[in-house]
Amino acid sequence: MARRSFSEGGLAKEKPARRGRVTRHFFSLTSGRLTKSPLFSELLFSRPGMETPLMPLEFARRARKLYPKQIAVIDGESRWNYAQFLDRCNRWSTALQELGIGSGDRVAYLAPNSHAQLESFYAVPQIGAVLVPLNHCLIADDFVYLLTDSGARIVCADCDYLETIDSIRSRLPRGRTLHRPNG
């Protein structure tokens, strides 16, 4: 049976070919019609070394190497280039490790859509931990359920949400709450 997966805005369909090779056919969805797109597959598979997956952490490291001074993040009046942003992520990873967070541990994160939230998407996975982002629009009972169900070892909360976390602390399994300053 052919496997299907989304790839670069189109649907990739793989079929076993003769002699154990895999033939890839790419399709684009244009005006509600699925059409074969040979150009993308030619570009992707005709160049040696182009089959390396570009995962988010590798993308960030590559961006720091190639564009360290380019602006990476803008949050209100604050701006960070790739080197600064990834240094912040590395410091956050180190702080989590010093708190005993390691590979496989769940790290819940409660913050609005901000640079601090974005940093968590890099800092937590790079130490092998699992990020559990919490929607800041939920109510306290929802947080109790999500934190209990996820098995989070630690809750990192933006200062605007400390009161909410403190109000449910007694209903949570034993764990830690970490205040993350906005800066």
Side-chain angles (χ1 to χ4, degrees):
M1 181 173 206
R3 293 184 305 158
R4 295 179 184 186
S5 62
F6 284 98
S7 176
E8 294 295 317
L11 185 64
K13 194 171 163 187
E14 297 180 1
K15 292 184 189 176
R18 285 186 256 153
R19 297 189 189 133
R21 292 184 53 194
V22 174
T23 304
R24 292 179 175 94
H25 299 281
F26 290 85
F27 297 87
S28 298
L29 189 59
T30 312
S31 302
R33 298 188 74 138
L34 202 58
T35 57
K36 193 168 183 177
S37 176
L39 180 62
F40 177 76
S41 59
E42 284 177 27
L43 289 173
L44 182 64
F45 297 108
S46 65
R47 298 180 186 169
M50 291 296 289
E51 292 186 44
T52 303
L54 195 54
M55 305 305 283
L57 289 172
E58 291 305 314
F59 173 78
R61 291 174 185 136
R62 181 178 181 274
R64 180 207 307 244
K65 182 179 175 182
L66 296 176
Y67 314 105
K69 302 291 184 199
Q70 292 286 342
I71 297 297
V73 177
I74 299 173
D75 187 3
E77 296 299 315
S78 302
R79 286 166 167 55
W80 294 273
N81 62 36
Y82 282 103
Q84 294 166 330
F85 174 70
L86 293 169
D87 285 344
R88 291 175 62 87
C89 295
N90 290 341
R91 287 194 305 272
W92 190 228
S93 293
T94 300
L96 290 169
Q97 287 176 317
E98 289 172 357
L99 290 168
I101 301 300
S103 184
D105 289 336
R106 276 31 173 208
V107 176
Y109 208 92
L110 178 58
N113 188 12
S114 66
H115 70 279
Q117 177 76 319
L118 180 62
E119 289 165 4
S120 72
F121 281 92
Y122 292 95
V124 174
Q126 83 177 355
I127 61 173
V130 179
L131 180 65
V132 181
L134 301 172
N135 183 336
H136 65 92
C137 297
L138 298 176
I139 61 172
D141 287 339
D142 295 332
F143 294 136
V144 171
Y145 172 78
L146 292 169
L147 293 170
T148 303
D149 189 58
S150 70
R153 275 197 60 208
I154 190 168
V155 180
C156 303
D158 183 274
C159 62
D160 293 340
Y161 304 100
L162 285 178
E163 188 177 310
T164 302
I165 295 299
D166 284 341
S167 74
I168 62 171
R169 189 184 301 262
S170 64
R171 298 168 51 196
L172 297 174
R174 227 174 94 216
R176 298 183 210 173
T177 303
L178 182 61
H179 163 89
R180 176 80 195 266
N182 290 336

